[in-house]
């Protein structure tokens, strides 16, 4: 593993905030906001896979959407290949979308049911003008080969394929425009394990072949462990821990990460682990707890945690944690 | 121990077929298993394997038409549920055998307060008055760990989080202290930290009530954590039936092996995951031989021509695969399979 | 909830202003000069001019409209060009009649429609279902004037158990209300049926079955409340169609209601009368819609969150 200094940053998210206004019934009540993403900063290096994990409502998908500018962020900056994409015009952004692709959880919902695979791929290439018209057919067949679909798939419609095959079409569409970065938003979550394994292998293979960078958004920690180089854990709109995969899974420092890891069922029935079971539900992002947002469920919470918000600090090399307790542990 | 060995539910040769325009889909095609008191049996498999239809068939809840129980029996304390009159069946549902479903979001009635949804089952089966049933329902909500249950009981499902809704489902299912609980993917829609809460809760209540649990899931992790025995289903059949320890330590059927291999492991690193090539056969057009043959790395001619039976091995594991029979003619020896 | 109702009431104001605007200017486009009509045939140019002056018809249009609007807010809807009676008085005489008719019609729409829909949905594709839906299809297809005449012929002329026309007793209400409500009932029946069939497939109905509940409790307690949510919206929309229908039905059964008044006023180009009539009809519609919205929210508390 190289050191961070030598690596090229492809994407930098800087103090990103994404608040959504909540409609209130009263004219007099103050407006309330869901702070879906609240001051999130991280960097993504070229060729790596960074995963964002967390439970529903932690802001992982919202972060992905902000990077794609599917929602306009409330505050903060996002640099892609050195350019602040939040300042780009619609036209410039459209051009940039060629470098920045996305694969969604539900391939069926993201593919137009009235288009054949050929039309889907052709349209993707036409928008970005990456391949001249006469060469498109060759390119399409090449793409299908990459994702492991037979050439005759071209004339078929999405509903004629199984879930795993549809996800392959989604990947082919993303690849069609020669992207640099692909955001995979729960890309394998809806698939059966045997199919999930096929798609994960495919993604890894394509990454090597085309030097792709992945931002992999998932709630499944086993999948994340398999595919990532680095992992970022989010809780209620905040980053609680970022580290290299091995560090994070072997020696997590944040109590939330520890609980998250210990709640994954193991495949060894003889192994009876001491499990950390968190009490209660995730609080509402409309009214997040003061201080450290995790303090209401944290087994180690101190008085300080209720009032003072911990900052994200580099406690070990490339290991960032935002926790008052972890900070004070002897290294 | 003796008490525990008493079977409460015996499923024998259960078949559930769906008749549609495309033909007859044999969703469940001859299933046998036994559930004992206080035991947890896992039924595991991928989508379309028939595990959910098996669970719905036990309580005769399959949508009919087009579904129909085409054969076999489900013996509950000696009585056959398949042939039982509907009136008697209703007295068993939600009372002696109850069920929780995958989607707590859609499985609760959106316009009825959750307390009432629990209380109506109590009134029905325990012949309690309105007030007593309501109090019992609040008590159940407290038992499943819902804070301020008096207040929550009056709320409608949309006011509750996903985890809380699943707790309500559990409270509803356990309100009449059933002898069998069928849990159909109870944690699939939930976050991991909530999943471990719910699994812990089910285990906890199981020891209190002493009920048998059938855990339907696609998640082998959930099986490893909660089950005593496991039935692995593939294309409407059970392909392997063993204790949880045996399944994970020494999976016999090539499908079980493939399933375990294709899972990314939380405690080991591999560059490439093993996969099972191909896809499941169409339920309308099942192959006449072994249903897994087209995807099996050990496939021989006999596998495509003749269907293997579920046969008990020396170690008590039941497996549906020619490799473990004396008729096996393949080049790979019986012992080399594992 | 209170804020919601208040806000909805406030929203009525611009709607009403919009209605006056549309009505006022559409009437201007209609050929024919009310001054000529009023002055009588063969009146001299001067006489026509005098009438025009008197009614303010020589003013620019926007001033005429503005004055009209101001008067509306003061409760003055002008004077009928035909009989010089205040428009408001004329309307207030006829309004209760039309409201009564509409009320009974909507009751028929709801009760008949929902009952038929439920009966159909409980045993889909059965003989009962097919026949009920066939009748419903007829109900939608039959024009109300034909249905009205047929009912009149059968019940009043042949059987002689109901009065032919007029508006004196509750017996008089039956035929017009059935005529007016039938189409809506048919639509509500079809809607209730499809909504019920949709709901019966839901997971929570399966949960109710898994509890061991009896089928009729599942239908009436668990399915119906959910199935009726979209039906409420349809009933609200039907009310609008129903108001339009009063025009025909009141003419057929010789009922002196608002609908018939508007038709007469249009025929005689009695501009203030038409404006007043349409304004009131819109007001009724808007108020009914307000009730539908409130009712919908009570029924479906979930939408309060969004």
């Amino acid at each position: 593993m190289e050191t961070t200094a030598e690596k090229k940053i492809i994407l930098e998210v800087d103090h990103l905030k994404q608040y959504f206004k909540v409609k209130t019934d009263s004219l007099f009540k103050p407006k309330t906001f869901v702070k879906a993403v609240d001051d999130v900063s991280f960097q993504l290096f070229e060729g790596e896979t960074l995963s964002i994990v967390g439970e529903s409502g932690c802001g992982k998908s919202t972060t992905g959407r902000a990077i794609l500018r599917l929602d306009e962020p409330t505050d903060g900056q996002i640099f892609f290949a050195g350019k602040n994409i939040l300042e780009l015009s619609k036209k410039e952004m459209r051009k940039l979308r060629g470098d920045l692709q996305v694969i969604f959880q539900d391939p069926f919902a993201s593919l137009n049911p009235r288009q054949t695979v050929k039309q889907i791929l052709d349209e993707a290439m036409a928008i970005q003008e990456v391949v001249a018209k006469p060469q498109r057919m060759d390119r399409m067949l090449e793409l299908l080969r990459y994702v492991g679909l037979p050439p005759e798939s071209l004339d078929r419609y999405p509903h004629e394929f199984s879930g795993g095959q549809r996800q392959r079409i989604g990947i082919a569409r993303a690849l069609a425009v020669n992207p640099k970065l692909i955001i995979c938003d729960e890309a394998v979550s809806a698939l059966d394990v045997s199919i999930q394994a096929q798609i994960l292998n495919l993604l890894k293979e394509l990454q090597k072949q085309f030097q792709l960078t992945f931002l992999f958004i998932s709630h499944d920690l086993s999948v994340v462990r398999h595919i990532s180089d680095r992992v970022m854990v989010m809780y209620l709109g905040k980053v609680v821990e970022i580290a290299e995969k091995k560090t994070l899974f072997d020696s997590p420092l944040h109590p939330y990460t520890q609980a998250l890891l210990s709640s994954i069922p193991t495949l060894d029935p003889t192994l009876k682990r001491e499990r950390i079971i968190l009490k209660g539900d995730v609080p509402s992002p409309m009214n997040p707890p003061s201080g450290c947002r995790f303090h209401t469920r944290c087994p180690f919470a101190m008085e300080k945690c209720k009032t003072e918000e911990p900052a994200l600090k580099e406690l070990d090399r490339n290991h960032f944690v935002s926790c008052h307790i972890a900070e004070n542990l002897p290294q | 121990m003796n008490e525990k060995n008493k079977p409460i539910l015996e499923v024998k040769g259960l078949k559930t077929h769906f008749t549609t325009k495309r033909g007859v889909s044999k969703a469940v095609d001859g299933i046998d298993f036994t559930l004992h008191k206080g035991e947890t049996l896992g039924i595991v498999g991928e989508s379309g394997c028939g595990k959910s239809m098996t669970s719905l068939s036990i309580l005769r809840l399959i949508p009919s038409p087009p579904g129909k129980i085409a054969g076999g029996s489900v013996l509950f304390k000696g009585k056959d549920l398949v042939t039982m009159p509907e009136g008697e069946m209703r007295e068993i549902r939600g009372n002696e055998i109850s069920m929780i479903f995958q989607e707590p979001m859609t499985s609760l009635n959106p316009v009825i307060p959750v307390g009432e949804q629990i209380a109506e089952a109590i009134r029905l089966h325990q012949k309690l008055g309105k007030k007593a049933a309501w109090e019992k329902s609040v008590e159940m909500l407290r038992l499943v760990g819902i804070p301020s249950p008096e207040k929550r009981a009056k709320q409608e499902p949309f006011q509750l989080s996903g985890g809380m809704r699943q707790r309500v489902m559990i409270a509803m299912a356990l309100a009449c202290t059933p002898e069998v609980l069928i849990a159909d993917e109870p944690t699939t829609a939930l976050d991991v930290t909530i999943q471990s809460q719910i699994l812990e809760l089910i285990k906890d209540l199981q020891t209190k009530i002493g009920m048998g649990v059938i855990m339907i899931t696609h998640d082998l992790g959930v099986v490893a954590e909660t089950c005593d025995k496991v039935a692995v289903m593939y294309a409407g059949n059970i392909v392997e039936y063993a204790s949880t320890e045996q399944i994970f330590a020494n999976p016999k059927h090539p499908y079980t092996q493939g399933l375990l291999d294709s899972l990314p492991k939380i405690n080991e690193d591999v560059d490439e995951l093993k996969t099972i090539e191909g896809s499941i056969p169409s339920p309308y057009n099942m192959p006449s031989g072994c249903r897994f043959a087209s995807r099996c790395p050990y496939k021989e001619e006999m596998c495509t021509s003749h269907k293997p039976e579920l046969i008990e091995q020396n170690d008590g594991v039941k497996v549906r695969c020619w490799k473990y029979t004396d008729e096996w003619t393949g080049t790979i020896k019986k012992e080399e399979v594992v | 909830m209170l804020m919601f109702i208040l806000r909805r009431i406030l929203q009525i104001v611009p709607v009403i202003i919009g209605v006056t605007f549309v009505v006022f200017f559409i009437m201007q486009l209609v050929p024919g000069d009310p001054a000529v009509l009023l002055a009588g045939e063969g009146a001299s140019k001067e006489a026509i001019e005098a009438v025009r002056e008197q009614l303010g018809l020589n003013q620019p249009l926007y001033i005429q409209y503005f004055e009209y609007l101001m008067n509306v807010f003061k409760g003055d809807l002008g004077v009928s060009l035909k009989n010089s009676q205040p428009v408001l008085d004329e309307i207030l005489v006829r309004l209760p009649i039309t409201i009564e008719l509409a009320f009974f019609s909507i009751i028929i729409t709801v009760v008949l429609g929902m009952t038929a829909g439920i009966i159909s949905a409980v045993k889909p594709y059965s003989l009962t279902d097919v026949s009920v839906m066939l009748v419903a299809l007829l109900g939608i297809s039959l024009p109300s004037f034909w249905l009205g005449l047929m009912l009149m012929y059968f019940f009043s002329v042949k059987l002689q158990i109901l009065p032919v026309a007029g508006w004196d007793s509750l017996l008089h209400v039956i035929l017009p209300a059935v005529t007016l409500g039938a189409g809506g009932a048919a639509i509500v029946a079809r809607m209730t049926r499809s909504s019920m069939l949709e709901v019966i497939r839901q997971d929570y109905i399966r949960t109710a079955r898994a509890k061991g509940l009896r089928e009729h409790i599942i239908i009436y307690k668990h399915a119906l409340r959910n199935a009726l949510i979209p039906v409420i919206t349809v009933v609200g929309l039907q009310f609008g169609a129903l108001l339009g229908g009063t025009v025909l039905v009141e003419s057929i059964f010789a009922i002196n209601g608002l609908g018939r008044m508007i038709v007469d006023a249009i025929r005689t180009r009695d501009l203030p009368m038409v404006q007043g009539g349409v304004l009131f009809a819109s007001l009724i519609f808007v108020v009914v819609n307000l009730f539908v919205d409130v009712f919908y929210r009570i029924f479906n508390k979930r939408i309060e969150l969004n």
Side-chain angles (χ1 to χ4, degrees):
Chain A
M1 183 100 340
E2 300 163 83
T3 55
T4 26
E6 294 159 21
K7 285 197 249 167
K8 213 174 133 202
I9 295 171
I10 184 168
L11 179 84
E12 179 158 16
V13 172
D14 187 24
H15 297 289
L16 179 73
K17 287 182 186 171
Q18 181 77 67
Y19 296 173
F20 296 106
K21 204 158 81 181
V22 183
K23 232 173 127 184
T24 49
D25 214 24
S26 164
L27 298 170
F28 310 109
K29 265 187 234 156
K31 279 177 190 139
T32 49
F33 292 93
V34 171
K35 297 179 175 177
V37 175
D38 201 7
D39 203 359
V40 163
S41 303
F42 64 94
Q43 294 166 332
L44 187 56
F45 303 108
E46 204 167 276
E48 75 163 348
T49 301
L50 171 68
S51 290
I52 311 184
V53 289
E55 298 176 280
S56 32
C58 73
K60 55 188 192 295
S61 286
T62 315
T63 307
R65 289 178 63 86
I67 295 167
L68 291 162
R69 273 184 85 181
L70 295 174
D71 303 313
E72 282 305 310
T74 313
D75 197 17
Q77 289 171 311
I78 299 169
F79 295 96
F80 179 74
K83 271 186 260 178
N84 185 350
I85 63 166
L86 298 182
E87 284 167 3
L88 295 182
S89 69
K90 269 214 173 107
K91 204 176 147 201
E92 290 168 307
M93 190 61 207
R94 203 175 311 132
K95 226 172 131 195
L96 192 80
R97 277 189 212 281
D99 293 336
L100 197 61
Q101 284 289 308
V102 62
I103 305 168
F104 290 108
Q105 170 173 10
D106 183 358
F108 202 40
S110 59
L111 296 172
N112 184 340
R114 300 199 177 280
Q115 280 185 327
T116 60
V117 173
K118 188 175 164 185
Q119 287 166 326
I120 290 169
L121 296 178
D122 191 72
E123 190 181 74
M125 288 188 268
I127 294 171
Q128 291 297 335
E129 297 162 0
V130 277
V131 186
K133 221 165 186 174
Q135 279 94 55
R136 276 194 205 146
M137 195 61 202
D138 290 342
R139 173 68 176 153
M140 281 191 248
L141 291 171
E142 190 183 31
L143 285 167
L144 289 184
R145 208 170 53 241
Y146 289 149
V147 299
L149 286 173
E152 55 271 20
S153 311
L154 276 184
D155 293 316
R156 295 204 277 158
Y157 291 90
H159 71 87
E160 297 174 67
F161 295 90
S162 68
Q165 288 173 319
R166 271 184 283 216
Q167 200 54 291
R168 286 172 194 268
I169 300 171
I171 295 169
R173 179 176 60 181
L175 284 179
V177 297
N178 298 319
K180 295 199 178 83
L181 168 65
I182 299 183
I183 297 178
C184 305
D185 190 353
E186 301 278 7
V188 296
S189 305
L191 306 173
D192 274 322
V193 279
S194 64
I195 309 299
Q196 173 179 289
Q198 294 173 3
I199 300 293
L200 287 174
N201 284 345
L202 175 67
L203 288 173
K204 271 199 151 181
E205 209 180 287
L206 294 170
Q207 179 169 37
K208 267 187 222 145
Q209 201 173 347
F210 301 108
Q211 288 86 49
L212 296 168
T213 308
F214 286 141
L215 183 62
F216 198 89
I217 298 166
S218 177
H219 70 278
D220 188 331
L221 289 146
S222 313
V223 168
V224 162
R225 174 175 177 119
H226 175 72
I227 200 149
S228 322
D229 298 311
R230 287 192 305 138
V231 180
M232 171 167 128
V233 183
M234 286 183 75
Y235 184 79
L236 270 179
K238 295 272 187 196
V239 176
V240 297
E241 188 159 3
I242 313 180
E244 270 161 23
K245 169 175 70 181
K246 207 166 162 21
T247 323
L248 190 110
F249 279 86
D250 293 348
S251 47
L253 289 177
H254 198 286
Y256 177 63
T257 316
Q258 290 165 357
L260 207 56
L261 292 177
S262 96
S263 61
I264 312 165
T266 48
L267 290 179
D268 186 355
T270 53
L271 188 79
K272 293 287 173 222
R273 282 176 310 160
E274 200 45 52
R275 154 168 298 177
I276 312 166
I277 292 186
L278 292 177
K279 295 263 177 317
D281 282 326
V282 181
S284 158
M286 242 191 287
N287 189 17
S290 61
C292 172
R293 293 197 176 176
F294 185 58
H295 86 254
T296 53
R297 299 173 79 200
C298 182
F300 314 111
M302 319 178 287
E303 217 29 61
K304 188 184 179 188
C305 303
K306 293 179 189 164
T307 50
E308 207 175 305
E309 198 179 316
L312 192 66
K313 284 187 191 153
E314 187 167 8
L315 296 187
D316 203 353
R317 213 169 67 96
N318 297 336
H319 192 168
F320 297 82
V321 186
S322 71
C323 174
H324 294 306
I325 297 148
E327 260 175 56
N328 298 322
L329 285 177
Q331 293 300 313
Chain B
M1 207 60 213
N2 252 348
E3 181 72 342
K4 202 166 179 173
N5 279 338
K6 216 171 81 189
I8 33 175
L9 195 75
E10 284 173 276
V11 174
K12 290 179 182 164
L14 182 69
K15 289 183 180 185
T16 303
H17 294 176
F18 286 78
T19 313
T20 65
K21 280 176 198 149
R22 287 173 63 194
V24 177
S25 158
K26 297 177 179 173
V28 179
D29 204 16
I31 293 283
D32 302 84
F33 63 80
T34 307
L35 180 73
H36 298 93
K37 204 165 187 295
E39 170 187 75
T40 303
L41 168 74
I43 301 184
V44 66
E46 298 181 284
S47 38
C49 72
K51 56 187 190 301
S52 283
M53 283 308 149
T54 303
S55 65
L56 290 174
S57 302
I58 294 171
L59 278 184
R60 294 203 341 226
L61 289 172
I62 42 163
S64 167
K68 190 173 172 276
I69 295 177
S73 60
V74 178
L75 297 179
F76 173 66
K77 297 197 289 191
K79 276 186 283 181
D80 187 3
L81 300 183
V82 172
T83 52
M84 187 177 272
E86 181 62 23
E88 262 179 74
M89 187 72 225
R90 267 206 303 270
E91 274 166 34
I92 288 180
R93 285 188 199 128
N95 187 20
E96 290 175 280
I97 305 178
S98 47
M99 201 162 169
I100 43 184
F101 299 98
Q102 174 173 1
E103 288 286 341
M105 206 73 144
T106 55
S107 294
L108 289 170
N109 195 319
V111 298
I112 299 178
V114 291
E116 167 58 21
Q117 294 191 50
I118 301 170
E120 67 177 344
I122 300 172
R123 288 201 304 267
L124 181 72
H125 296 300
Q126 302 191 341
K127 312 282 179 264
L128 285 181
K130 240 187 154 123
K131 192 155 171 280
W134 180 264
E135 278 162 9
K136 175 94 196 275
S137 134
V138 172
E139 208 37 60
M140 285 311 294
L141 288 175
R142 196 189 318 275
L143 183 71
V144 297
I146 288 185
S148 45
E150 292 87 358
K151 195 183 110 204
R152 291 296 184 182
K154 289 180 200 141
Q155 292 185 331
E156 277 152 30
F158 73 94
Q159 291 165 294
L160 273 56
S161 70
M164 273 208 262
R165 277 182 217 148
Q166 198 56 294
R167 285 170 191 268
V168 170
M169 282 298 294
I170 293 171
M172 190 188 294
L174 300 189
C176 302
T177 42
E179 292 177 56
V180 176
L181 174 71
I182 304 171
D184 188 358
E185 305 265 10
T187 58
T188 304
L190 305 174
D191 281 319
V192 273
T193 61
I194 309 298
Q195 164 170 304
S196 43
Q197 291 175 357
I198 297 291
L199 291 179
E200 201 69 20
L201 175 69
I202 294 177
K203 240 192 275 181
D204 207 44
L205 296 172
Q206 180 179 19
T207 19
K208 268 186 205 155
I209 300 175
M211 62 193 173
V213 174
I214 299 177
M215 182 73 72
I216 313 279
T217 181
H218 71 282
D219 189 336
L220 288 161
V222 170
V223 171
E225 294 276 335
T226 59
C227 301
D228 304 310
K229 281 196 284 181
V230 192
V232 181
M233 279 187 79
Y234 184 80
N237 287 144
I238 290 177
V239 294
E240 187 162 356
Y241 186 36
S243 75
T244 309
E245 282 83 4
Q246 285 169 317
I247 285 268
F248 285 94
N250 184 12
K252 285 199 163 64
H253 197 281
Y255 176 65
T256 316
Q257 295 169 358
L259 210 55
L260 282 164
D261 283 342
S262 57
L263 265 183
K265 313 291 181 299
I266 200 69
N267 40 17
E268 64 180 62
D269 290 304
V270 285
D271 200 39
E272 196 179 339
L273 293 167
K274 287 195 187 132
T275 60
I276 307 174
E277 291 309 318
S279 51
I280 51 166
S282 158
Y284 295 100
N285 190 18
M286 284 293 183
S288 55
C290 171
R291 292 179 178 177
F292 187 62
S294 63
R295 304 174 76 185
C296 184
Y298 310 108
K299 179 183 64 178
E300 289 292 329
E301 207 194 307
M302 64 190 302
C303 301
T304 46
S305 56
H306 293 85
K307 190 175 165 183
E309 295 296 320
L310 189 67
I311 292 168
E312 187 163 343
Q313 306 296 302
N314 291 337
D315 53 2
V317 174
K318 288 181 182 165
V319 59
R320 190 187 289 276
C321 178
W322 283 119
K323 278 170 153 326
Y324 302 92
T325 63
D326 296 333
E327 289 92 337
W328 178 244
T329 55
T331 42
I332 304 169
K333 290 269 157 52
K334 208 173 139 183
E335 303 78 51
E336 288 172 41
V337 173
V338 289
Chain C
M1 191 55 147
L2 212 68
M3 277 312 295
F4 168 74
I5 296 172
L6 208 75
R7 208 167 54 205
R8 286 290 280 108
I9 289 175
L10 283 177
Q11 278 170 7
I12 291 178
V13 178
V15 172
I16 292 299
I17 294 177
V19 169
T20 59
F21 185 84
V22 171
V23 170
F24 184 86
F25 284 98
I26 283 183
M27 285 312 286
Q28 298 300 326
L29 297 176
V30 180
D33 187 339
V36 177
L37 272 170
L38 214 67
E41 239 164 276
S44 68
K45 245 192 172 148
E46 289 75 29
I48 293 171
E49 271 313 309
V51 172
R52 194 166 279 155
E53 181 98 6
Q54 185 200 343
L55 293 174
L57 293 177
N58 53 351
Q59 301 266 15
L61 270 187
Y62 68 90
I63 293 187
Q64 284 186 43
Y65 172 67
F66 189 70
E67 275 179 4
Y68 172 69
L69 198 61
M70 283 296 103
N71 287 335
V72 167
F73 280 103
K74 280 184 248 161
D76 175 11
L77 296 179
V79 180
S80 164
L81 299 182
K82 211 175 77 191
N83 56 12
S84 305
Q85 292 291 313
V87 170
L88 191 63
D89 293 356
E90 291 273 323
I91 288 174
L92 289 182
V93 172
R94 292 144 192 264
L95 189 64
I97 298 174
T98 297
I99 287 181
E100 199 180 339
L101 174 61
F103 175 76
F104 283 108
S105 304
I106 204 83
I107 296 264
I108 284 172
T109 294
V110 171
V111 174
L112 208 66
M114 285 183 186
T115 315
I118 295 163
I119 290 172
S120 264
V122 170
K123 283 220 164 92
Y125 309 109
S126 65
L127 189 66
T128 333
D129 174 34
V130 173
S131 3
V132 169
M133 281 305 116
L134 200 69
V135 173
L137 190 68
L138 280 175
I140 295 172
S141 328
L142 294 180
S144 62
F145 64 85
W146 188 84
L147 181 65
L149 290 175
M150 284 302 114
L151 288 176
M152 206 189 277
Y153 174 75
F154 195 71
F155 288 100
S156 312
V157 180
K158 279 272 168 187
L159 296 179
Q160 303 204 340
I161 47 172
L162 290 170
V164 179
W167 197 256
D168 300 317
S169 67
L170 215 56
L171 279 182
H172 285 90
V173 186
I174 297 174
L175 287 187
V178 170
T179 309
L180 194 52
I187 291 172
V188 169
R190 288 167 68 94
M191 187 70 205
T192 308
R193 176 182 182 269
S194 66
S195 180
M196 278 292 277
L197 289 182
E198 178 68 35
V199 166
I200 283 173
R201 280 210 306 268
Q202 298 298 313
D203 289 351
Y204 53 81
I205 297 298
R206 188 180 60 190
T207 308
R209 291 217 169 93
K211 262 187 253 185
L213 296 177
R214 284 172 181 280
E215 203 59 19
H216 69 266
I217 293 180
I218 293 172
I219 297 283
Y220 292 103
K221 183 171 170 186
H222 286 264
L224 195 59
R225 280 196 63 186
N226 287 288
L228 288 188
I229 292 167
V231 177
I232 294 171
T233 314
V234 172
V235 170
L237 289 173
Q238 270 312 303
F239 195 83
L242 200 135
L243 278 182
T246 57
V247 172
L248 266 176
V249 172
E250 284 176 1
S251 300
I252 299 168
F253 291 93
I255 300 164
N256 214 4
L258 198 64
R260 206 168 140 215
M261 183 202 87
I262 295 174
V263 176
D264 288 343
I266 292 172
R267 209 160 36 218
T268 54
R269 231 163 290 291
D270 190 345
L271 189 61
M273 205 68 161
V274 176
Q275 286 167 339
V278 174
L279 193 65
F280 262 82
S282 316
L283 201 63
I284 298 174
F285 185 60
V286 170
V287 170
V288 167
N289 260 305
L290 172 75
F291 277 113
V292 169
D293 277 7
V294 171
F295 201 55
Y296 190 82
R297 277 170 86 94
I298 292 171
F299 238 72
N300 190 6
K301 287 187 198 144
R302 274 166 303 170
I303 62 167
E304 244 177 90
L305 270 190
N306 305 323

